[in-house]
Amino acid sequence: MLSVAVMVSGGGTNLQALINALKTGDIKNACIDLVFSDNEAAYALKRAEAENIKKVCVPAKKYNEYEFENLMLKILDENRPDLIVLAGFLSKVPDKVVQSYRGRIINIHPSLIPSFCGKGFYGIKVHEAALKRGVKITGATVHLVDEGIDSGKILMQKTVEVKDDDTPLLLQKRVMEEAEHIILPKVVNMAANGDIRLPIV
């Protein structure tokens, strides 16, 4: 059984997609054992509580980088997840954490990397940039996390059509529903069932 830790900062819609996929059997041989947030106000924490999933919050704004890094690593080491999923996690994962869990951290990004990614591209800003550029196709990407920002190996992508009357909010919602909530559970299921090789702990 693959032990999964999900890291969140906001509403937790991708966390909910994973919870739903576990319930329907779209994800097999896995369980979410920990939800970690860097934001006390994250609604995702309420989603975890509703499902009786262990939740831990380390507010990034209350700690310096060194303290935040060490607290995150301590919590992860205590829970020893096989896979860490960044699902709308806005803090950069500290290098020490990446090095300790290399190959076992994945992120969902709301664009087709390498478009609209890297520093400053997160949340609604990604969709604002896509509309400003006038692209006709966007989508979402699941990738491995390394020491960079959105620079790790791409594991899966899914395209979404951009419509003429789209607003950033409309596009964000459609990318979530038509791409993010589909490919993130698929990748977690692949990791749980040997289709993606994770490093041996």
Side-chain angles (χ1 to χ4, degrees):
M1 185 71 71
L2 189 81
S3 174
V4 180
V6 182
M7 308 186 93
V8 294
S9 296
T13 56
N14 275 306
L15 168 63
Q16 191 64 54
L18 292 173
I19 291 168
N20 294 346
L22 285 163
K23 289 180 176 179
T24 60
D26 289 325
I27 299 176
K28 296 179 175 66
N29 303 317
C31 59
I32 300 172
D33 292 316
L34 175 69
V35 170
F36 177 99
S37 180
D38 59 354
N39 175 16
E40 292 171 299
Y43 186 73
L45 292 170
K46 296 187 183 297
R47 295 182 191 270
E49 189 173 350
E51 299 294 332
N52 295 311
I53 300 170
K54 181 179 180 179
K55 56 185 175 64
V56 178
C57 182
V58 178
K61 62 186 178 183
K62 291 187 178 180
Y63 299 95
N64 63 40
E65 288 183 17
Y66 176 79
E67 292 169 332
F68 185 70
E69 176 181 70
N70 282 291
L71 281 167
M72 183 190 290
L73 194 56
K74 180 175 183 290
I75 290 161
L76 290 171
D77 286 348
E78 286 171 353
N79 289 273
R80 296 190 61 76
D82 300 310
L83 181 69
I84 299 167
V85 178
L86 310 188
F89 189 66
L90 298 184
S91 292
K92 184 180 184 300
V93 178
D95 288 354
K96 190 186 291 185
V97 176
V98 173
Q99 290 154 13
S100 294
Y101 289 87
R102 190 175 301 282
R104 290 189 282 143
I105 310 174
I106 62 172
N107 179 52
I108 179 80
H109 183 76
S111 77
L112 298 173
I113 291 173
S115 297
F116 313 115
C117 67
K119 189 173 182 179
F121 286 102
Y122 60 89
I124 198 73
K125 294 183 179 184
V126 175
H127 307 292
E128 290 170 347
L131 290 175
K132 184 177 180 181
R133 185 64 183 88
V135 298
K136 302 304 179 187
I137 296 292
T138 186
T141 304
V142 178
H143 65 92
L144 286 174
V145 173
D146 59 15
E147 287 85 353
I149 300 175
D150 301 328
S151 54
K153 179 183 176 182
I154 292 171
L155 299 175
M156 188 176 290
Q157 293 183 304
K158 191 174 191 302
T159 60
V160 174
E161 181 185 0
V162 180
K163 299 182 179 179
D164 291 341
D165 60 350
D166 267 333
T167 65
L169 284 172
L170 281 173
L171 185 57
Q172 181 183 48
K173 184 173 186 288
R174 200 161 64 257
V175 169
M176 283 182 182
E177 292 174 350
E178 295 183 10
E180 295 180 49
H181 298 172
I182 294 170
I183 63 174
L184 185 58
K186 279 187 177 179
V187 171
V188 172
N189 185 62
M190 290 169 72
N193 294 282
D195 296 314
I196 293 175
R197 297 285 181 188
L198 297 173
I200 297 171
V201 181

